Amino acid sequence: MNGMSIIIKKELKRVFGDKKLVFSMFILPAIIMIALYGIMGFMIGKMNSDIEENVNKVYVVNSDDRMKNAITASGFDKTNDITYLNEADFRAKEQDIRDEVLNGDAQLVVYMDKDFNQKFTSYTDSSSPVPQIKLSYNTTENYSQNTYGMFATGVLEIYRTGLLQERVGSLDVLNVFDLEDDIIEKEEKANSRFISMMLPYMIVIMLFAGAMSVGVDAMAGEKERGTLASMLLSPVNRTAIAGGKIIAMMILSGLSAIVYVVSMMIAMPVMSAMGGGESEMAGGFGGLSLSLVEGLQLAAIMLALVFLFVAVISFMAIRAKDTKAASSLISPIYIVVMVAGMLTMFMSGKEVPITRYFIPVYGNAVAIKDICNGELVTSNFLASLAGTVIIAILLTIGIAKAFDDEKVMFNA
Amino acid sequence: MIQINGLTKIYKLNAKKMQELKTKENKKVAVNNVSLEARPGEIFGLLGPNGAGKTTTLRCVATLLKPTKGSVSVCGFDTQKEGQKVRDSIAFLTNEIKLDPNFSADYMFKFFGRLHGMSEEQIVARQEELFGVFGINDFKNKKIEELSTGMKQKAAIAVSLVHDPKVVIFDEPTSGLDIVTARSVTDYLKHLRDMGKTVIVSTHIMSEAEKLSDRIGVIIAGQKVEEGTLAEILQRNEAVDLEDAFFKLYSKYNPEKK
C-alpha cells in the first residue's frame, strides 16, 4: 500500500509540479470554454440585432388598399423598404427581382393575383375560385427568412382577419370552441428538460476526454520512454504500481472533468449575458436543482465512470507500442462512448428496464438523466454502478497482469 | 552472488517480426543454455557482439524477463519465485531503462529510495554520498530532460544504487560517455567490488573489459562460449589480448560463418 501511495504522489507531482501542464490541463480548457460560449453569445446577440435592425427590401405586387392598411397597421413598413408594383411593371422586371432575392439584395416578393379583389368579392361557395398570395423568399438568407416570418405572421394575419370580417360580418360566429391548455408535469423535470438531455452526454465525453489526456502518456508514454521499466525494477508489487497509476489518473481526470463542468456552469450564463438570449440552453444549469442524495448519487456515478474510463484507456494504452498506437486504439472507443452518451438525448419518456442500467456508460448516462429529472430509483442507481465498476475491476486486473507480462512490457 | 543455470530464453515471433528478421521460424532462441556465476567481490565482464544475448541474460537476472528454461538466483533468491526480494538486492542499469525526464535527479533519487522502503534519513545520507561521488549536486534540481548524456548517466547510476544493493548489474554503463565520465563510472564499479559487491558489467569495449573485469564470460549467438580470467582466456585461445581472443571465438562460433 505504501508503494502505491508513493506512486500516486509521484504521478500527481508530474502534473502539479509542472506549471505549463497545470495551465494546459485545468486552466486553459476553462478559459477556452468560457471565452467560446461568451463569443457564441455575442455572435448570436449580434446576429439577432442585425436581423432586427436591417432595412429589408420588399416588393408588393398588385396590392390593394386593404393590404396597404394591413402593412401600416402591423408596423411592417417602419422596418422595411416597400416597393409597390403593378402587374405590368412586375412582369417587366420579374427576372431582375428574382435575382435580387437570390443574391440577398431583396428579401421578399409578395405577389397577389391581379384579379384578387374580384375573386374575393365573387366568392359564393367552395366551388368558387380562391384568390392567391405568393410569397417568394430565400431560405438560405437570414434576413429574407426573417422578413418572410414577419410578413406571414404579422401582415397577412391582419389582412386575413380584415377580409374574413368583411365576408362574415362578425368574427365571433367562427369561434366554435375555446381551447385551454392544462399542463400536468413535474416542475423539476420541466425546469431541467434541456439540462437532463445534455448533461449525461457532456459528463460522459468530458470524463473520457480528461482520462484520455492523462492516461495515454502515463501508460504508453512511460513505456515508450523506458521510464515505466525503471519502476518495475523496484521491489514494489506490480499490482501496486498499476493501482497507483490508475488511482492517480482517476484523481487527475476527475479534477479535469470537474473543471469542465464548472466552466460550463459559468459559461452558459456568460453566453446569455453576452446576448445569447434567454433560451433554455443559455439558461444552462439554472433549471437543475439536486437534493443532497441526488448530488451524492451523481458524484458516485461520475467516480465509477472515471474508474471505467481510466481502466479502459490504461488497458489499451499499456498494450500499445507507443502513444501514437495507443491513440489509434482508443479513438474508436471514444466514438462508442460518445454514441452511448448521445443515445440518452433521444430517449422517449418510456421506462428503461433495469437490465439496461447494467450496460456501462449507457446505463450511467441514463441514471444521470434520471437524477436530473428526479426519477432515479435506488435499484437502477445500484445497477448502473455495478455494471460499470465490475468491468472497471476486470480491466484493472488485466492491467496488473500486463505489468507482469514481459511480452506487453518489453515486446519480448 | 548470481547463479545462472542452463538459462534459455526463447522469444515467440509473430508474422511481422518474422518478416523483419527474414526468418521462417516462429521463434528465436536469444539465450541458449547459459550457465555462469558471478561472485561477491568480483567484477564479471559479459562480452558479446550486438544481439548476442547479453541484455536478455541480464534482464532475466533482473526479473524483467522470465527464463524459458533453466534458473537464475540472486543472493539465494530465485528470480521467478522471489522477484521482489531479487529486485531489492540489485541495481540494474541499461540504456533502454530511463529516469522520468519530467523530474529532477533529486526527486528521482528520493522516489526510488522510498520505493525501496528507506527512511528519509537513510535516503539523505545515501544521497550525500552518491551525489558527491558522481558530482551530481550541481545539477540535482534540474529536470532530467535538461541534462547532458553524461549527467543523465551519472544520475541514473546514482539512483540505481540508492538502496545500497549487494548486486550491481550494469549493461554497457559507459556507452556514449566521454572519457572522463566513463573513468569515474569504472572507478566506482571497482570501488563497489572492493566493498564486496557482486558486479556484472556487459560491454563490447574490449579494453574496458580487460581493465575492469576479474573474470570474463563471452556470449555469441546466445551461447556462452568462454568463461574465465583474462589470463585463462588468452591462454586457451592463444591470443595476445582480449580483442584477439574475442575475434578467434567469434569466427569459430558465429553461425553466419559456419
Side-chain angles (χ1 to χ4, degrees):
Chain A
M1 192 63 197
N2 190 33
M4 193 187 280
S5 66
I6 293 165
I7 286 162
I8 293 170
K9 279 181 198 163
K10 182 231 167 194
E11 293 296 320
L12 295 181
K13 187 176 166 59
R14 194 160 69 90
V15 173
F16 291 111
D18 186 336
K19 285 176 191 165
K20 283 183 196 163
L21 207 55
V22 170
F23 181 76
S24 65
M25 247 183 109
F26 301 111
I27 300 170
L28 190 62
I31 293 172
I32 288 175
M33 191 168 286
I34 294 167
L36 204 68
Y37 276 72
I39 291 168
M40 269 168 65
F42 176 73
M43 297 305 284
I44 293 168
K46 193 171 178 298
M47 191 177 76
N48 288 340
S49 62
D50 272 2
I51 289 171
E52 281 166 18
E53 288 164 14
N54 187 58
V55 178
N56 303 298
K57 193 172 182 184
V58 179
Y59 290 99
V60 182
V61 185
N62 300 327
S63 171
D64 58 10
D65 289 341
R66 293 190 205 92
M67 175 58 85
K68 284 178 183 165
N69 290 340
I71 287 171
T72 310
S74 67
F76 187 77
D77 57 341
K78 287 177 186 159
T79 53
N80 300 289
D81 173 19
I82 300 165
T83 306
Y84 293 100
L85 298 173
N86 59 30
E87 181 72 20
D89 289 344
F90 175 66
R91 291 300 169 203
K93 298 176 186 171
E94 187 176 359
Q95 193 50 50
D96 291 342
I97 290 171
R98 289 187 74 82
D99 287 345
E100 277 187 65
V101 175
L102 191 67
N103 297 330
D105 297 328
Q107 280 66 47
L108 182 68
V109 182
V110 181
Y111 178 83
M112 298 172 70
D113 279 349
K114 56 185 174 187
D115 48 357
F116 189 97
N117 238 335
Q118 192 196 335
K119 281 180 184 168
F120 172 71
T121 48
S122 62
Y123 181 89
T124 51
D125 55 35
S126 58
S127 62
S128 307
V130 178
Q132 196 188 34
I133 296 176
K134 188 167 94 178
L135 300 179
S136 304
Y137 67 108
N138 185 344
T139 55
T140 61
E141 293 283 336
N142 284 334
Y143 294 140
S144 182
Q145 183 111 5
N146 190 54
T147 310
Y148 163 81
M150 285 195 295
F151 193 86
T153 56
V155 179
L156 285 187
E157 273 312 300
I158 293 171
Y159 187 55
R160 182 184 283 116
T161 309
L163 292 178
L164 278 172
Q165 207 159 7
E166 204 173 299
R167 181 175 286 171
V168 299
S170 171
L171 285 179
D172 291 344
V173 297
L174 295 174
N175 190 19
V176 290
F177 61 84
D178 286 329
L179 180 67
E180 186 187 353
D181 292 337
D182 180 20
I183 297 165
I184 302 168
E185 62 183 14
K186 286 180 185 169
E187 195 185 347
E188 57 208 0
K189 194 170 178 177
N191 290 341
S192 63
R193 190 179 297 128
F194 170 74
I195 204 68
S196 72
M197 190 176 81
M198 290 299 294
L199 196 65
Y201 172 70
M202 285 181 339
I203 285 180
V204 163
I205 60 162
M206 282 170 191
L207 287 177
F208 196 89
M212 199 167 159
S213 68
V214 291
V216 171
D217 187 67
M219 291 293 182
E222 285 229 46
K223 189 175 149 185
E224 188 182 357
R225 292 191 294 269
T227 53
L228 192 56
S230 64
M231 270 193 265
L232 299 181
L233 280 166
S234 73
V236 175
N237 184 311
R238 285 170 183 178
T239 307
I241 297 174
K245 288 184 89 70
I246 287 171
I247 292 171
M249 279 188 275
M250 281 174 68
I251 295 169
L252 291 169
S253 53
L255 282 174
S256 165
I258 289 168
V259 167
Y260 272 107
V261 173
V262 171
S263 306
M264 194 159 273
M265 288 166 77
I266 298 167
M268 285 188 172
V270 167
M271 182 165 114
S272 180
M274 293 296 284
E278 294 301 321
S279 65
E280 267 190 300
M281 187 181 165
F285 288 70
L288 182 68
S289 65
L290 301 178
S291 68
L292 179 63
V293 174
E294 285 169 336
L296 291 173
Q297 284 176 331
L298 182 62
I301 291 170
M302 284 176 71
L303 198 65
L305 272 172
V306 168
F307 183 24
L308 176 71
F309 291 157
V310 165
V312 169
I313 289 163
S314 302
F315 187 82
M316 303 306 284
I318 200 68
R319 277 164 175 75
K321 199 176 173 186
D322 50 36
T323 49
K324 202 175 155 189
S327 299
S328 313
L329 284 173
I330 293 163
S331 296
I333 298 172
Y334 195 15
I335 294 167
V336 172
V337 166
M338 278 171 70
V339 171
M342 231 181 254
L343 285 176
T344 58
M345 286 186 182
F346 311 109
M347 278 168 59
S348 62
K350 213 173 154 188
E351 194 177 329
V352 178
I354 190 167
T355 46
R356 290 200 195 161
Y357 283 86
F358 282 101
I359 302 170
V361 187
Y362 173 75
N364 304 113
V366 176
I368 294 170
K369 191 181 176 92
D370 288 350
I371 289 174
C372 296
N373 292 336
E375 291 176 337
L376 183 64
V377 295
T378 309
S379 55
N380 291 344
F381 166 66
L382 293 175
S384 79
L385 281 188
T388 305
V389 171
I390 288 169
I391 299 294
I393 288 172
L394 291 175
L395 287 169
T396 307
I397 293 168
I399 296 161
K401 280 193 185 298
F403 270 63
D404 229 0
D405 186 340
E406 60 186 42
K407 200 168 176 57
V408 174
M409 300 311 293
F410 303 104
N411 300 319
Chain B
M1 165 86 85
I2 297 171
Q3 278 186 310
I4 301 174
N5 297 312
L7 174 69
T8 299
K9 181 66 189 175
I10 300 169
Y11 293 125
K12 283 182 187 164
L13 303 178
N14 57 26
K16 195 180 167 191
K17 279 190 180 170
M18 283 165 68
Q19 207 173 8
E20 278 172 14
L21 297 170
K22 293 174 185 167
T23 177
K24 288 177 182 172
E25 294 263 342
N26 63 354
K27 61 183 182 179
K28 185 192 173 213
V29 182
V31 179
N32 189 3
N33 197 26
V34 167
S35 296
L36 56 87
E37 188 179 279
R39 301 162 196 147
E42 77 169 12
I43 296 176
F44 188 93
L46 199 57
L47 280 183
N50 290 334
K54 304 187 300 288
T55 302
T56 300
T57 303
L58 296 183
R59 281 182 167 190
C60 287
V61 176
T63 75
L64 294 177
L65 298 178
K66 291 178 183 115
T68 310
K69 277 186 204 163
S71 66
V72 180
S73 74
V74 177
C75 301
F77 301 120
D78 186 282
T79 54
Q80 293 192 75
K81 292 174 189 157
E82 296 160 294
Q84 281 177 254
K85 286 179 182 169
V86 170
R87 288 193 288 276
D88 207 20
S89 310
I90 63 168
F92 184 70
L93 188 80
T94 167
N95 286 333
E96 292 149 354
I97 297 174
K98 296 183 177 76
L99 297 177
D100 196 325
N102 300 301
F103 292 100
S104 64
D106 179 66
Y107 183 84
M108 280 282 100
F109 192 89
K110 286 172 179 160
F111 171 70
F112 280 101
R114 287 173 196 135
L115 285 184
H116 280 280
M118 296 166 72
S119 68
E120 293 302 309
E121 292 77 23
Q122 285 173 317
I123 293 171
V124 170
R126 190 81 181 131
Q127 189 179 29
E128 274 176 21
E129 181 193 337
L130 289 171
F131 278 24
V133 168
F134 291 106
I136 296 171
N137 283 313
D138 293 341
F139 56 85
K140 69 174 185 178
N141 291 320
K142 275 192 173 181
K143 278 188 179 179
I144 302 284
E145 66 187 358
E146 294 166 5
L147 304 181
S148 67
T149 309
M151 287 169 170
K152 278 180 190 163
Q153 186 73 339
K154 284 177 177 180
I157 291 170
V159 170
S160 73
L161 296 167
V162 59
H163 54 301
D164 196 15
K166 289 178 184 162
V167 174
V168 176
I169 305 162
F170 283 179
D171 186 11
E172 297 178 7
T174 57
S175 168
L177 297 183
D178 65 68
I179 192 163
V180 179
T181 313
R183 185 57 161 294
S184 69
V185 172
T186 52
D187 282 351
Y188 196 73
L189 287 173
K190 286 176 187 168
H191 168 69
L192 289 171
R193 174 200 50 204
D194 297 342
M195 287 170 69
K197 311 278 185 192
T198 304
V199 181
I200 286 194
V201 177
S202 122
T203 183
H204 48 237
I205 306 169
M206 299 298 151
S207 58
E208 188 176 272
E210 262 181 352
K211 286 178 199 164
L212 195 62
S213 310
D214 298 300
R215 287 192 309 122
I216 294 165
V218 181
I219 293 183
I220 293 172
Q223 287 182 299
K224 189 190 78 180
V225 296
E226 183 61 279
E227 184 183 351
T229 62
L230 178 63
E232 287 167 350
I233 291 172
L234 296 184
Q235 191 186 18
R236 272 199 293 269
N237 293 282
E238 297 172 350
V240 290
D241 57 19
L242 188 57
E243 190 172 304
D244 187 26
F246 179 81
F247 276 108
K248 282 180 175 170
L249 289 165
Y250 188 70
S251 61
K252 190 175 171 185
Y253 292 102
N254 179 17
E256 287 170 17
K257 290 209 170 182
K258 277 182 184 175

